[in-house]
Amino acid sequence: MSLFEWFGLKRGDSRRRAAEARELAGDLAGAVELYIEAGMPDDAARVLLLRADAERSVEKRIAFCASASRTAESPELRRAALGRKALLALDLVRARGASAMRSEVLAVARDLEEAGELERAADAYALVGDVEAEARVLAAAGAIDRLEERLRVSMSVERSQRELAAVLRRIADLDRMAERREAISVAEAWLGERRDCEQVADALRAIRARLLAGPVVALELGGALLRCALGDEVTIGRGEATIVVASRAVSRTHLGIRRGPSGVEVEDLGTRNGTTLAGARLTAPLPVGRGVELLLGGEVPCAIAPADGQGCVVEVAGERFAAPLGDLPVGPWRLRLDRAGASAFVVLSTPPGAPPPFLGDYQLAPAVELCAGDAIAAARGGTAVFRVRAAGDAPAPRRDGGRAEGGPA
């Protein structure tokens, strides 16, 4: 006979008393072990929950609650422990915001539902946008008012999503058909009412990033690069000019080129360092005639020559530009610079009787706004008549090995 049996005690009773003593002494970890050895899992789970209450770390509190839910024998205690763990986890994923993984939030929602915390489970399902599960648990909880409100919000959200999808399609279609001004107008009107709509804002930024604002554009025609300085008047200068020259000797707006009574003429725009022709300073508008070679600010050579009745060709600072001084003929169409308030657009227009242009599979309207990367063809899906080059693109190689010429097409 053992000592425990001599005194009429069972071994389990001694362990229970030892566990109670450990618990009273504050040794909760030791109490849990002894309660489990004594075959008292519910008491062990109860102490694990006490340990959870004593922890400051949310992660450790969750771990103790999870251990209690696994240890408990009583369904009620197991559910209570699981509910406490799930509520703590819900607060944690809410604090993490967008960084919380969808699978984590769904696991929390299922735990809350299993624990009977139905309205909190609905909160968790709402975090991941699972409307069906949210409505199901709200119905099970008898939260009719909240369910009706959720369904109303859901219908409103679905309507907003349909409207958003429609406006995004509209913007994309207008962009594909090169009607960028209208696409920008549609996007700005939408954002005027919904400033926080990132998808429309991103679509607007993408169009603006590609949109040609001129006045200098680069076109690829037959493998050659043509730089065009658009506008009825072209200026050359260091700052606020059509063609910018990086030289301190040149004024911010130094030389003007325009059509005059006798054809293309140039004029020094009242600069400090002046413009000279064969050493003589310009003091009045000068007809270009068959061509002139000037010196800007006493340092920068500038040659200007007529271009077959289509404006002139300007060579300055090692670069060559076509300056049509009006609309630029490109194939059967015309390019022009169109200013609208603070904005500027490079517009492709189709004269009456000319064949319509195509961008990919889309036939374009009589006047559209060009973007970098556009390849304009005379037939649906046909070979490009010209391409709009992005800023910084290298010139395409020519088959004849020569350099690209700068003159209107």
Side-chain angles (χ1 to χ4, degrees):
M1 180 180 294
S2 69
L3 183 62
F4 292 102
E5 294 172 335
W6 179 268
F7 286 101
L9 299 174
K10 294 181 180 179
R11 187 175 296 273
D13 291 336
S14 67
R15 287 176 177 167
R16 174 180 60 78
R17 291 180 181 180
E20 291 171 349
R22 290 282 184 91
E23 183 179 351
L24 290 173
D27 182 5
L28 300 183
V32 168
E33 293 181 5
L34 289 173
Y35 276 130
I36 291 174
E37 290 177 4
M40 303 172 69
D42 286 345
D43 284 283
R46 176 180 56 78
V47 175
L48 284 168
L49 293 176
L50 291 176
R51 293 195 68 184
D53 291 339
E55 283 291 342
R56 299 185 65 179
S57 165
V58 176
E59 289 80 0
K60 289 183 178 180
R61 293 174 70 186
I62 291 173
F64 280 125
C65 290
S67 181
S69 69
R70 293 192 298 269
T71 302
E73 188 175 59
S74 161
E76 293 78 11
L77 185 56
R78 186 184 306 116
R79 175 179 289 188
L82 181 63
R84 287 179 62 178
K85 171 212 165 190
L87 290 171
L88 288 167
L90 178 61
D91 291 339
L92 190 62
V93 297
R94 276 177 167 167
R96 288 169 56 189
S99 65
M101 295 179 61
R102 177 182 173 85
S103 59
E104 293 177 315
V105 182
L106 284 174
V108 169
R110 286 191 286 268
D111 285 347
L112 286 166
E113 188 175 357
E114 184 181 346
E117 297 283 351
L118 298 181
E119 293 201 45
R120 302 302 295 275
D123 294 340
Y125 283 124
L127 287 176
V128 294
D130 191 337
V131 177
E132 184 178 342
E134 182 186 2
R136 173 173 53 76
V137 294
L138 285 175
I144 303 302
D145 290 343
R146 186 174 169 187
L147 176 59
E148 290 178 347
E149 174 64 16
R150 185 66 189 90
L151 293 175
R152 185 188 66 78
V153 170
S154 176
M155 292 175 63
S156 176
V157 168
E158 288 178 5
R159 184 172 60 253
S160 296
Q161 289 175 340
R162 288 195 300 270
E163 291 173 353
L164 174 60
V167 79
L168 288 171
R169 283 195 302 272
R170 173 70 172 153
I171 293 169
D173 288 344
L174 289 167
D175 185 22
R176 281 191 286 266
M177 294 185 292
E179 297 180 38
R180 277 66 184 243
R181 200 178 322 204
E182 180 63 18
I184 289 171
S185 177
V186 170
E188 288 179 338
W190 179 271
L191 292 172
E193 299 177 2
R194 307 163 182 83
R195 295 183 181 275
D196 59 345
C197 185
E198 282 300 315
Q199 290 169 282
V200 174
D202 288 344
L204 178 59
R205 280 192 290 268
I207 292 174
R208 283 180 168 159
R210 296 182 293 110
L211 191 67
L212 295 185
V216 173
V217 298
L219 305 177
E220 182 185 326
L221 294 131
L225 181 67
L226 173 67
R227 295 187 185 278
C228 306
L230 301 179
D232 293 335
E233 179 177 357
V234 169
T235 56
I236 301 173
R238 178 168 46 86
E240 300 168 359
T242 309
I243 299 172
V244 177
V245 176
S247 171
R248 299 294 298 177
V250 176
S251 297
R252 295 184 63 82
T253 309
H254 195 104
L255 190 73
I257 310 171
R258 67 181 71 87
R259 294 183 186 275
S262 58
V264 179
E265 62 182 28
V266 297
E267 181 182 10
D268 181 89
L269 300 176
T271 61
R272 182 180 60 185
N273 294 333
T275 302
T276 58
L277 172 65
R281 187 161 181 161
L282 298 189
T283 58
L286 172 70
V288 168
R290 295 184 178 180
V292 294
E293 294 187 1
L294 308 172
L295 198 61
L296 309 182
E299 289 187 7
V300 179
C302 176
I304 303 171
D308 299 328
Q310 300 293 338
C312 62
V313 175
V314 179
E315 291 192 55
V316 61
E319 293 192 90
R320 184 180 177 93
F321 301 87
L325 303 178
D327 289 358
L328 173 70
V330 184
W333 312 297
R334 299 290 183 268
L335 283 184
R336 71 173 186 272
L337 185 64
D338 190 356
R339 299 190 184 277
S343 301
F345 302 90
V346 175
V347 174
L348 175 70
S349 61
T350 303
F358 287 82
L359 179 58
D361 291 330
Y362 294 90
Q363 179 178 322
L364 304 185
V368 294
E369 297 79 30
L370 294 182
C371 278
D374 287 348
I376 305 300
R380 193 182 309 275
T383 302
V385 174
F386 73 91
R387 297 176 185 273
V388 181
R389 301 289 293 274
D393 278 358
R398 287 171 58 92
R399 293 186 181 89
D400 59 8
R403 69 186 184 93
E405 292 297 324

